[in-house]
PDB file of all heavy atoms in Angstrom:
ATOM      1  N   ALA A 387      -4.804  16.320 -13.805  1.00 55.00           N
ATOM      2  CA  ALA A 387      -3.875  17.347 -14.257  1.00 55.00           C
ATOM      3  C   ALA A 387      -4.255  18.666 -13.596  1.00 55.00           C
ATOM      4  O   ALA A 387      -5.396  18.863 -13.188  1.00 55.00           O
ATOM      5  CB  ALA A 387      -3.967  17.472 -15.774  1.00 55.00           C
ATOM      6  N   PRO A 388      -3.312  19.596 -13.445  1.00 61.00           N
ATOM      7  CA  PRO A 388      -3.634  20.881 -12.832  1.00 61.00           C
ATOM      8  C   PRO A 388      -4.654  21.638 -13.668  1.00 61.00           C
ATOM      9  O   PRO A 388      -4.697  21.483 -14.895  1.00 61.00           O
ATOM     10  CB  PRO A 388      -2.283  21.612 -12.790  1.00 61.00           C
ATOM     11  CG  PRO A 388      -1.435  20.920 -13.798  1.00 61.00           C
ATOM     12  CD  PRO A 388      -1.898  19.500 -13.819  1.00 61.00           C
ATOM     13  N   PRO A 389      -5.477  22.464 -13.037  1.00 61.00           N
ATOM     14  CA  PRO A 389      -6.517  23.177 -13.786  1.00 61.00           C
ATOM     15  C   PRO A 389      -5.925  24.213 -14.729  1.00 61.00           C
ATOM     16  O   PRO A 389      -4.868  24.783 -14.483  1.00 61.00           O
ATOM     17  CB  PRO A 389      -7.350  23.857 -12.685  1.00 61.00           C
ATOM     18  CG  PRO A 389      -6.406  23.968 -11.529  1.00 61.00           C
ATOM     19  CD  PRO A 389      -5.512  22.775 -11.607  1.00 61.00           C
ATOM     20  N   VAL A 390      -6.636  24.459 -15.827  1.00 69.00           N
ATOM     21  CA  VAL A 390      -6.222  25.456 -16.817  1.00 69.00           C
ATOM     22  C   VAL A 390      -6.979  26.750 -16.520  1.00 69.00           C
ATOM     23  O   VAL A 390      -8.178  26.730 -16.244  1.00 69.00           O
ATOM     24  CB  VAL A 390      -6.547  24.967 -18.249  1.00 69.00           C
ATOM     25  CG1 VAL A 390      -6.185  26.045 -19.272  1.00 69.00           C
ATOM     26  CG2 VAL A 390      -5.801  23.674 -18.536  1.00 69.00           C
ATOM     27  N   VAL A 391      -6.259  27.871 -16.564  1.00 71.00           N
ATOM     28  CA  VAL A 391      -6.892  29.170 -16.317  1.00 71.00           C
ATOM     29  C   VAL A 391      -7.312  29.777 -17.651  1.00 71.00           C
ATOM     30  O   VAL A 391      -6.497  29.916 -18.565  1.00 71.00           O
ATOM     31  CB  VAL A 391      -5.934  30.117 -15.563  1.00 71.00           C
ATOM     32  CG1 VAL A 391      -6.602  31.470 -15.322  1.00 71.00           C
ATOM     33  CG2 VAL A 391      -5.499  29.493 -14.244  1.00 71.00           C
ATOM     34  N   ALA A 392      -8.602  30.106 -17.753  1.00 67.00           N
ATOM     35  CA  ALA A 392      -9.134  30.696 -18.987  1.00 67.00           C
ATOM     36  C   ALA A 392      -8.705  32.159 -19.097  1.00 67.00           C
ATOM     37  O   ALA A 392      -8.184  32.752 -18.140  1.00 67.00           O
ATOM     38  CB  ALA A 392     -10.653  30.576 -18.998  1.00 67.00           C
ATOM     39  N   THR A 393      -8.951  32.758 -20.270  1.00 68.00           N
ATOM     40  CA  THR A 393      -8.546  34.154 -20.506  1.00 68.00           C
ATOM     41  C   THR A 393      -9.268  35.128 -19.581  1.00 68.00           C
ATOM     42  O   THR A 393      -8.760  36.194 -19.270  1.00 68.00           O
ATOM     43  CB  THR A 393      -8.838  34.535 -21.967  1.00 68.00           C
ATOM     44  OG1 THR A 393     -10.194  34.208 -22.277  1.00 68.00           O
ATOM     45  CG2 THR A 393      -7.918  33.785 -22.909  1.00 68.00           C
ATOM     46  N   ASP A 394     -10.481  34.769 -19.139  1.00 71.00           N
ATOM     47  CA  ASP A 394     -11.218  35.668 -18.247  1.00 71.00           C
ATOM     48  C   ASP A 394     -10.847  35.460 -16.777  1.00 71.00           C
ATOM     49  O   ASP A 394     -11.455  36.057 -15.887  1.00 71.00           O
ATOM     50  CB  ASP A 394     -12.730  35.477 -18.427  1.00 71.00           C
ATOM     51  CG  ASP A 394     -13.173  34.055 -18.084  1.00 71.00           C
ATOM     52  OD1 ASP A 394     -12.300  33.212 -17.766  1.00 71.00           O
ATOM     53  OD2 ASP A 394     -14.395  33.791 -18.118  1.00 71.00           O
ATOM     54  N   GLY A 395      -9.838  34.597 -16.527  1.00 72.00           N
ATOM     55  CA  GLY A 395      -9.385  34.383 -15.153  1.00 72.00           C
ATOM     56  C   GLY A 395     -10.035  33.208 -14.450  1.00 72.00           C
ATOM     57  O   GLY A 395      -9.590  32.797 -13.375  1.00 72.00           O
ATOM     58  N   SER A 396     -11.085  32.651 -15.040  1.00 78.00           N
ATOM     59  CA  SER A 396     -11.749  31.504 -14.407  1.00 78.00           C
ATOM     60  C   SER A 396     -10.952  30.232 -14.672  1.00 78.00           C
ATOM     61  O   SER A 396     -10.242  30.124 -15.665  1.00 78.00           O
ATOM     62  CB  SER A 396     -13.174  31.348 -14.958  1.00 78.00           C
ATOM     63  OG  SER A 396     -13.126  31.119 -16.353  1.00 78.00           O
ATOM     64  N   MET A 397     -11.074  29.274 -13.750  1.00 84.00           N
ATOM     65  CA  MET A 397     -10.350  28.009 -13.900  1.00 84.00           C
ATOM     66  C   MET A 397     -11.227  26.968 -14.585  1.00 84.00           C
ATOM     67  O   MET A 397     -12.431  26.899 -14.324  1.00 84.00           O
ATOM     68  CB  MET A 397      -9.910  27.490 -12.522  1.00 84.00           C
ATOM     69  CG  MET A 397      -8.737  28.237 -11.937  1.00 84.00           C
ATOM     70  SD  MET A 397      -8.111  27.462 -10.424  1.00 84.00           S
ATOM     71  CE  MET A 397      -9.445  27.803  -9.289  1.00 84.00           C
ATOM     72  N   ILE A 398     -10.604  26.154 -15.433  1.00 85.00           N
ATOM     73  CA  ILE A 398     -11.307  25.082 -16.136  1.00 85.00           C
ATOM     74  C   ILE A 398     -11.108  23.785 -15.359  1.00 85.00           C
ATOM     75  O   ILE A 398     -10.005  23.487 -14.879  1.00 85.00           O
ATOM     76  CB  ILE A 398     -10.775  24.919 -17.580  1.00 85.00           C
ATOM     77  CG1 ILE A 398     -10.879  26.253 -18.333  1.00 85.00           C
ATOM     78  CG2 ILE A 398     -11.535  23.823 -18.315  1.00 85.00           C
ATOM     79  CD1 ILE A 398     -12.279  26.810 -18.450  1.00 85.00           C
ATOM     80  N   CYS A 399     -12.159  23.009 -15.209  1.00 85.00           N
ATOM     81  CA  CYS A 399     -12.110  21.749 -14.457  1.00 85.00           C
ATOM     82  C   CYS A 399     -11.075  20.790 -15.066  1.00 85.00           C
ATOM     83  O   CYS A 399     -11.070  20.580 -16.278  1.00 85.00           O
ATOM     84  CB  CYS A 399     -13.491  21.091 -14.446  1.00 85.00           C
ATOM     85  SG  CYS A 399     -13.507  19.491 -13.601  1.00 85.00           S
ATOM     86  N   PRO A 400     -10.196  20.194 -14.234  1.00 82.00           N
ATOM     87  CA  PRO A 400      -9.184  19.261 -14.750  1.00 82.00           C
ATOM     88  C   PRO A 400      -9.782  18.030 -15.423  1.00 82.00           C
ATOM     89  O   PRO A 400      -9.156  17.428 -16.283  1.00 82.00           O
ATOM     90  CB  PRO A 400      -8.413  18.858 -13.485  1.00 82.00           C
ATOM     91  CG  PRO A 400      -8.694  19.917 -12.485  1.00 82.00           C
ATOM     92  CD  PRO A 400     -10.068  20.398 -12.785  1.00 82.00           C
TER      93      PRO A 400
END
Side-chain angles (χ1 to χ4, degrees):
V390 177
V391 180
T393 52
D394 61 357
S396 61
M397 285 188 290
I398 304 300
C399 177

